[in-house]
Structure formats: structure tokens, C-alpha cells
Amino acid sequence: RDAACPDGVLVFVAPTKALINQIAAQVYGTYHAHFGILTDAYRYRALSARILVTVPECLEELLLSPAHRAWAQRLRYLVLDEVHCIAYPAAGRVWEHLLLLR
């Protein structure tokens, strides 16, 4: 827990749903009470979790949504797994945008 922000959120971003599922299983096993997942196909406690596992496109959507502004204010830590994807033309735009948003 972060004493300075007891309701803060850590977001773990990975580039593919396959990696998200792998990471989600590990996080859920240890932090199940605080865990959430968000992909275009599946949502579980996405806005109430303290640890959110997601793909770049879904995080971008959350950060840009006026309806989720309060959630975005709670974001304290951002882990970008496989950030080298920024070099790929198709996916790189979203990764770069995430870096600029936070």
C-alpha cells in the first residue's frame, strides 16, 4: 500500500492478450482481492481494482475518457512491459501516446 495515496492504482500494461492472461494469472494468485483486468473482450473490476492489468489501447481509452477522469486521477504507478513495441509502426503510436498522457 502507498500511504500517501491509499486508493492509488498500479496499472500493468502488456502488448497482447496472451501476455495479459499470463500476467493476470500471476497477479491474481498473489493479489486477488486487489486485482482487475481490462481488454477489449473482457472486463473484471477494471475501475475498482488497485492493480489493473490491461493492453495499451484499453488504457489509452480510460485515460482519454472524461467519464473516467476520477479513475485517472488515482493512477500512481504504470508498468509498461515490452515497451520496445513503441518501435513498431502499428502499435507504437499507442505506446507513445501513453507516455505522453502520463
Side-chain angles (χ1 to χ4, degrees):
R1 286 206 180 264
D2 183 349
C5 186
D7 66 339
V9 176
L10 176 143
V11 177
F12 193 104
V13 180
T16 66
K17 288 182 201 172
L19 279 173
I20 290 297
N21 290 333
Q22 178 184 357
I23 294 160
Q26 293 171 333
V27 172
Y28 182 81
T30 305
Y31 303 102
H32 63 278
H34 305 285
F35 165 81
I37 187 170
L38 178 62
T39 68
D40 58 347
Y42 186 71
R43 175 186 290 237
Y44 174 75
R45 298 185 62 221
L47 299 177
S48 62
R50 297 275 324 273
I51 303 169
L52 178 64
V53 180
T54 189
V55 291
E57 295 81 5
C58 290
L59 179 58
E60 180 184 43
E61 187 177 311
L62 278 176
L63 292 175
L64 291 175
S65 170
H68 298 110
R69 189 167 293 148
W71 178 89
Q73 298 280 329
R74 294 177 44 223
L75 179 58
R76 293 293 173 264
Y77 304 99
L78 182 59
V79 177
L80 299 172
D81 189 23
E82 306 287 334
V83 74
H84 62 84
C85 291
I86 201 167
Y88 303 138
R93 181 203 63 80
V94 177
W95 288 90
E96 184 175 348
H97 196 208
L98 288 176
L99 291 171
L100 293 172
L101 285 172
R102 284 311 296 163

